[in-house]
Amino acid sequence: MNPRLTALAGSAVLALTALMPAAAHAQGTARPDPTKPGAKVPGTSRTITAAQAAACFVWHGGVNAAGGHHFTDPTATVPPTVPDDWKTDGVYQPGQVRLSARQTIEPDISGTDRYGYVVIGDGLYLSGYQEYEDGTVDNKFLKRIGGGWSSFRFLESADYESPDSVKNKIYRSTNYALRNDGVLFRWNTGTAGWRSTGSYPGFSAVKTMTLIAKTPTYDTFLANTRGGALYTIRIPVGSAKPVVKPVRTRSWQGFETLSAMGCGQYGTLLLGIDKDTKKGYLYAVGHANGLSTVIQSRGQVPGTFDDPVDFRWVPIPVYDVANGD
């Protein structure tokens, strides 16, 4: 089994072993990039076109009111489009999930494997299942990690894996959660489970945030505040405190969800969702450079964004590139 999955699984190793074909996770083995032209769009029989890849897209996810998983891919064409929109029913009970970190969606020989962390009630869980090409859901599991999560309002994972071409591979798995009192917590995840690696007060004004960069030495979030400001929050892997820089000083308070995916070598495609109007808007964001950061509106995304819980679908970490800072 791949070390990253072993680290995730803990006592759920048997469930994940059934879920994940070993051949799909051989370290150092070249694997096709599922975000490039010609790759199959997750959960569909359609392939990503060169035009769609050039325009950039966000694999946005949600848990709907019925407990199903939702996938859309808002694309920065002119005007924005959503080429794909699908649901997988029966993943959870209605209203069961309160928070979700990014969920990995990984092709296998018979369909896709899907897994990630969720908060249910007061507990944190590793969640996973397999969906076959005919739509059948199999091998579902929920593995409880721990309690004390009722006071948290944001959860995200940052899994960094160096490219397959690198001789000395680097892999790290870091998780973040924002508590209601504005304290941001960080944990490293390995074979020994979740290990606390820091907590940082002072983020009570943050409304929501999204990961825009992950490197061997730091992760960076883009966060908006209730007052309308937009900031980058760079968190070093070591013991240093987060570095916070303003990007914009007003007009960003309307979004309850931010969802970002890498675009080009240094950019980010940002989806902002206004839960009051259930509308989504796309922005092309340049490499983070404080108040000089370039942000270009791409317009409103068609459709209704009404899922109670939002997250981002991601490929395996080596292809989930985030170089926005």
Side-chain angles (χ1 to χ4, degrees), residues 234-284:
R234 179 190 284 195
I235 307 173
V237 169
S239 58
K241 295 181 179 180
V243 178
V244 179
K245 293 183 178 181
V247 175
R248 293 292 185 271
T249 58
R250 57 187 177 86
S251 78
W252 284 84
Q253 68 273 17
F255 297 126
E256 285 73 33
T257 294
L258 297 176
S259 186
M261 194 161 175
C263 179
Q265 188 173 3
Y266 299 112
T268 299
L269 185 63
L270 178 68
L271 171 66
I273 297 175
D274 184 334
K275 290 290 192 177
D276 294 328
T277 62
K278 299 179 174 58
K279 294 179 180 180
Y281 301 85
L282 283 179
Y283 300 87

Side-chain angles (χ1 to χ4, degrees), residues 209-242:
M209 49 204 288
T210 185
L211 189 69
I212 63 167
K214 50 180 184 167
T215 77
T217 57
Y218 64 86
D219 295 316
T220 300
F221 289 89
L222 188 65
N224 68 332
T225 68
R226 294 181 181 86
L230 193 66
Y231 290 90
T232 54
I233 305 171
R234 179 190 284 195
I235 307 173
V237 169
S239 58
K241 295 181 179 180

Side-chain angles (χ1 to χ4, degrees), residues 189-214:
T189 309
T191 54
W194 283 50
R195 180 174 61 88
S196 176
T197 52
S199 62
Y200 314 102
F203 295 98
S204 58
V206 169
K207 195 170 185 181
T208 190
M209 49 204 288
T210 185
L211 189 69
I212 63 167
K214 50 180 184 167

Side-chain angles (χ1 to χ4, degrees), residues 255-325:
F255 297 126
E256 285 73 33
T257 294
L258 297 176
S259 186
M261 194 161 175
C263 179
Q265 188 173 3
Y266 299 112
T268 299
L269 185 63
L270 178 68
L271 171 66
I273 297 175
D274 184 334
K275 290 290 192 177
D276 294 328
T277 62
K278 299 179 174 58
K279 294 179 180 180
Y281 301 85
L282 283 179
Y283 300 87
V285 182
H287 196 69
N289 185 27
L291 293 171
S292 298
T293 303
V294 175
I295 301 179
Q296 298 177 338
S297 174
R298 295 300 193 212
Q300 184 178 333
V301 180
T304 301
F305 291 85
D306 58 358
D307 292 329
V309 177
D310 293 296
F311 62 86
R312 189 165 80 77
W313 290 106
V314 295
I316 58 175
V318 70
Y319 293 127
D320 181 29
V321 178
N323 292 323
D325 178 26

